Amino acid sequence: MGGGGGGEEGNNLEFTPTWVVAVVCSVIVAASFAAERFLHYGGKFLKKKNQKPLYEALLKIKEELMLLGFISLLLTVTQNGIIKICVPESWTLHMLPCSLKDKEEKKSAKLTEHFQTFFSFTHIRHLLADNEGEGHQPTAAEKLGHCARKGKVPLLSVEALHHLHIFIFVLAIVHVTFCVLTVVFGGLKIRQWKHWENSIGDGNNGTPDLESTVTHVQDHAFIQNRFTGFGKDSTFLGWLKSFFKQFYGSVTKLDYVTLRLGFIMTHCRGNPKFNFHKYMIRALEDDFKKVVGISWYLWIFVVIFMLLNVHGWHTYFWISFVPLILLLAVGTKLEHVIIQLAHEVAEKHSAIEGELVVQPRDDHFWFHRPHIVLFLIHFILFQNAFEIAFFFWILFTYGFDSCIMGRVRYIIPRLVIGVFIQVLCSYSTLPLYAIVTQMGTHFKKAIFDEQVQARLVGWAQKAKKKGLRGDNNGQSVQGNAQVGAGIQLGQVFKRPSAQEDNVIVPRDEGHE
């Protein structure tokens, strides 16, 4: 038998039957090609359905898998070099995920099992057979490893390197899976709003009623549902209401109709029949391709979290509250943006003519940047996937009773928090994000279809090239292109002027 100093059973490739090698290679290659074909036909299906954002997200997943393959290859190639890096044993006695007492108990249990096996008749028979077949017995020096002969220990053992390899793979797969599940279930929730869009178009042909009867602002249903009544300076009640609102009926039909009208009157007044729901779905799919990937800064968080996994700190229990707190903060903020929109109208005007129109602005978001919300959702989904992936990795690698798993009273809350985050993000936070982030100062590029986006990019590139060539008419050509684009877009996307404002009775500044 070819077991070396590591004590592992089996032969190396030199003494492995060729049929075993062929079978294993065939299975691995077949599984790899099956996965590649599945992604290929999935991409063709998405392109056929004109789902370009989802297709680009699929390409992002393929990039992540390619990165995983490179990491796997790198770990395999450098494995022998890593295990030959020797360090003093005292260096490995600090910041352990399990205590040294657990290590001694585990070593004692293995030693007892070894002696029981050693004195069994079957093991003795195998030893006699091996002694007859082998002419050379390894010396004591040969049994010692490379670092043991120097009186040191390896920086990372082969087994630990293999387990780390598995963890990286599990983390990437779980993250992609959780992102897909979140967008799928959140998308189902958002697609339920389609009948609201259709009912608006069927009711008034998509044209806002801006010249009907006068309505007192305080009597409007949207203001009554969202306005706290204590003025803008007293925000505690508004934040408290926003916190609880995210758990039930986060977006109502009245919210959708009001926010939709505010978007249309701000960004595309010239196109009152604009399909806001379709645009919102395109924008969400466009953002999904950014969330599904694992960015470099997320890998830094992985390293930090694994560094802090020290025995007695219960780091993964406390870290599980980070995505929960961030998710509740994001949901509360998005709900509070709607309340702020209602406050603005209620504080500026006492009555309006026709429909109530809110004014989207970046000032309602953190640091005046709506895209920060997407970054936080990305981090929340990744951190939650990290927690769940770490649990399953420990479960299938070391077992539920492993010291690194932690105590049951810390495991159960982590799993409950993970499930809660996944459900709340899918059915509340993501739909809120899809509609509330449209209440910024600027609209997203998904407002244009692919043909219009391509034309705009083409105009910009041509104008830039002519300007860089030093063409005498470069500036005029570029200006003409921008003016032409502005004229065409202005017919569809037109901001309301002061004369077009539908407010007829301004509110007194001192009135509460």
Side-chain angles (χ1 to χ4, degrees), residues 7 15 51 118 136 143 192 196 252 285 294 311 334 429 433-434 449 461 468 473 478 487 494:
F15 301 98
Q51 298 290 336
F118 180 79
H136 171 71
K143 290 181 179 180
Q192 294 177 0
W196 295 346
T252 63
E285 292 174 348
I294 303 180
H311 175 72
L334 292 175
T429 310
Y433 165 81
D449 57 23
Q461 290 179 347
L468 292 176
N473 298 326
Q478 182 177 359
I487 293 175
K494 178 182 178 184

Side-chain angles (χ1 to χ4, degrees), residues 253-274:
K253 181 179 180 180
L254 186 60
D255 296 333
Y256 179 84
V257 172
T258 305
L259 299 183
R260 172 189 180 276
L261 181 60
F263 179 89
I264 291 177
M265 298 305 296
T266 302
H267 298 301
C268 48
R269 192 184 184 102
N271 184 17
K273 295 183 180 181
F274 176 72

Side-chain angles (χ1 to χ4, degrees), residues 230-288:
F230 289 92
K232 193 172 183 179
D233 295 333
S234 179
T235 58
F236 174 76
L237 187 60
W239 283 105
L240 187 64
K241 185 176 183 180
S242 300
F243 176 79
F244 289 103
K245 182 65 175 176
Q246 63 180 312
F247 300 110
Y248 66 94
S250 57
V251 178
T252 63
K253 181 179 180 180
L254 186 60
D255 296 333
Y256 179 84
V257 172
T258 305
L259 299 183
R260 172 189 180 276
L261 181 60
F263 179 89
I264 291 177
M265 298 305 296
T266 302
H267 298 301
C268 48
R269 192 184 184 102
N271 184 17
K273 295 183 180 181
F274 176 72
N275 193 326
F276 178 71
H277 183 269
K278 187 176 181 180
Y279 154 71
M280 191 171 53
I281 293 292
R282 286 204 307 265
L284 181 63
E285 292 174 348
D286 195 44
D287 291 337
F288 171 60

Side-chain angles (χ1 to χ4, degrees), residues 369-419:
R369 288 177 172 84
H371 67 269
I372 292 180
V373 179
L374 180 64
F375 168 80
L376 292 177
I377 291 178
H378 190 187
F379 177 78
I380 289 168
L381 291 177
F382 174 79
Q383 177 60 27
N384 193 47
F386 175 80
E387 286 283 334
I388 301 300
F390 187 82
F391 169 78
F392 283 109
W393 174 63
I394 296 298
L395 179 64
F396 293 109
T397 303
Y398 301 103
F400 189 82
D401 297 330
S402 172
C403 59
I404 198 174
M405 176 68 79
R407 299 179 181 179
V408 177
R409 65 172 178 264
Y410 295 109
I411 299 173
I412 302 302
R414 285 169 52 190
L415 295 178
V416 173
I417 290 175
V419 174

Side-chain angles (χ1 to χ4, degrees), residues 107-158:
K107 184 185 296 184
S108 177
K110 284 187 175 181
L111 188 61
T112 302
E113 182 181 357
H114 172 73
F115 276 112
Q116 290 176 351
T117 306
F118 180 79
F119 287 107
S120 65
F121 175 78
T122 306
H123 187 71
I124 294 175
R125 185 179 63 183
H126 282 297
L127 287 177
L128 292 175
D130 291 341
N131 290 334
E132 293 176 358
E134 296 181 0
H136 171 71
Q137 293 298 325
T139 63
E142 291 175 342
K143 290 181 179 180
L144 293 176
H146 173 74
C147 293
R149 290 195 294 268
K150 298 180 180 180
K152 297 181 179 182
V153 294
L155 179 65
L156 196 66
S157 66
V158 175

Side-chain angles (χ1 to χ4, degrees), residues 65-75:
L65 293 177
M66 185 180 68
L67 178 62
L68 284 176
F70 179 77
I71 293 175
S72 175
L73 178 63
L74 186 63
L75 289 175

Side-chain angles (χ1 to χ4, degrees), residues 18-75:
T18 55
W19 67 268
V20 175
V21 177
V23 169
V24 172
C25 286
S26 299
V27 172
I28 294 176
V29 171
S32 301
F33 270 100
E36 192 276 334
R37 289 290 92 186
F38 174 78
L39 294 175
H40 174 72
Y41 287 113
K44 291 182 64 176
F45 174 79
L46 292 176
K47 291 181 69 175
K48 184 178 179 181
K49 296 294 183 179
N50 294 324
Q51 298 290 336
K52 185 178 179 180
L54 292 181
Y55 173 72
E56 292 178 352
L58 184 64
L59 295 180
K60 188 69 176 179
I61 293 176
K62 294 176 72 173
E63 290 179 6
E64 293 298 327
L65 293 177
M66 185 180 68
L67 178 62
L68 284 176
F70 179 77
I71 293 175
S72 175
L73 178 63
L74 186 63
L75 289 175

